[in-house]
Amino acid sequence: MRKWNAILSAVILVLFLVHSIAGSFQLAGILSGGKQWLTIMTWGMTILIVVHAVLGCILTAETLRSIKKSGASYYKENRLFWLRRISGFAIMFLIGAHIAAFQVKETAGAVRLPYFGGLQLTLQLLLAASVAVHVLTNIKPLMLSLGTVKARHIFTDILVILSVLLAAAGVGFIIYFIRFNVL
């Protein structure tokens, strides 16, 4: 099950990067159109995220059973494990806010987005931060699970690229907030 979850994680990461880049460009007003393929890809990614979350919950439950059975939790030694789980649970809740914030509605032939105020911006930035924590703390175990041990020399490069893309997503949300509320 862990191997399937690792493969699923890699696919989600690729889809997320495409979604993040295209979404940031759309929010900044640089990219228009392409809505159909982006919507299909996004809902496919959402389904994969749900499967990943279910697998993560099952694996976490197994870990909790092992902790209870052994009687020792070793919290200090397992802080990174719990950080990964907590950020994953935060993402599950914040995805709902993300979907609600960008749910497109067509009325009288015009495309309308819901109000995007300070609360929506805060929730989107929290989502970007949660995804950053979750992805950046899980990239090394993901690489190991996929057998890319020899790719250790590019690990820092991957972290930098992912950090820049996640920061760009945050900037895209801020630009969209400014465009929605000021311009």
Side-chain angles (χ1 to χ4, degrees), residues 84-141:
R84 292 171 180 153
R85 293 311 187 261
I86 292 167
S87 64
F89 284 115
I91 290 168
M92 287 192 301
F93 294 110
L94 293 168
I95 283 176
H98 183 70
I99 291 170
F102 297 104
Q103 192 65 41
V104 176
K105 297 176 184 170
E106 286 193 40
T107 52
V111 175
R112 306 236 186 261
L113 285 172
Y115 174 73
F116 195 82
L119 176 64
Q120 289 80 7
L121 175 63
T122 302
L123 291 172
Q124 301 317 303
L125 292 176
L126 284 172
L127 175 62
S130 297
V131 169
V133 168
H134 194 70
V135 169
L136 297 176
T137 60
N138 277 300
I139 196 69
K140 188 173 186 176

Side-chain angles (χ1 to χ4, degrees), residues 14-125:
V14 170
L15 292 174
F16 168 75
L17 292 174
V18 172
H19 173 79
S20 178
I21 292 167
S24 295
F25 285 162
Q26 282 185 330
L27 292 175
I30 297 170
L31 176 70
S32 61
K35 182 185 174 311
Q36 291 173 329
W37 73 267
L38 190 59
T39 302
I40 292 168
M41 182 207 60
T42 299
W43 283 109
M45 179 178 66
T46 303
I47 292 167
L48 294 178
I49 289 171
V50 168
V51 172
H52 176 68
V54 168
L55 290 175
C57 288
I58 291 168
L59 293 171
T60 301
E62 287 177 6
T63 301
L64 292 174
R65 278 193 294 277
S66 296
I67 288 171
K68 187 176 181 181
K69 192 175 187 179
S70 71
S73 66
Y74 301 107
Y75 177 75
K76 283 186 179 181
E77 291 79 7
N78 292 316
R79 285 183 293 211
L80 188 57
F81 170 83
W82 289 112
L83 177 65
R84 292 171 180 153
R85 293 311 187 261
I86 292 167
S87 64
F89 284 115
I91 290 168
M92 287 192 301
F93 294 110
L94 293 168
I95 283 176
H98 183 70
I99 291 170
F102 297 104
Q103 192 65 41
V104 176
K105 297 176 184 170
E106 286 193 40
T107 52
V111 175
R112 306 236 186 261
L113 285 172
Y115 174 73
F116 195 82
L119 176 64
Q120 289 80 7
L121 175 63
T122 302
L123 291 172
Q124 301 317 303
L125 292 176

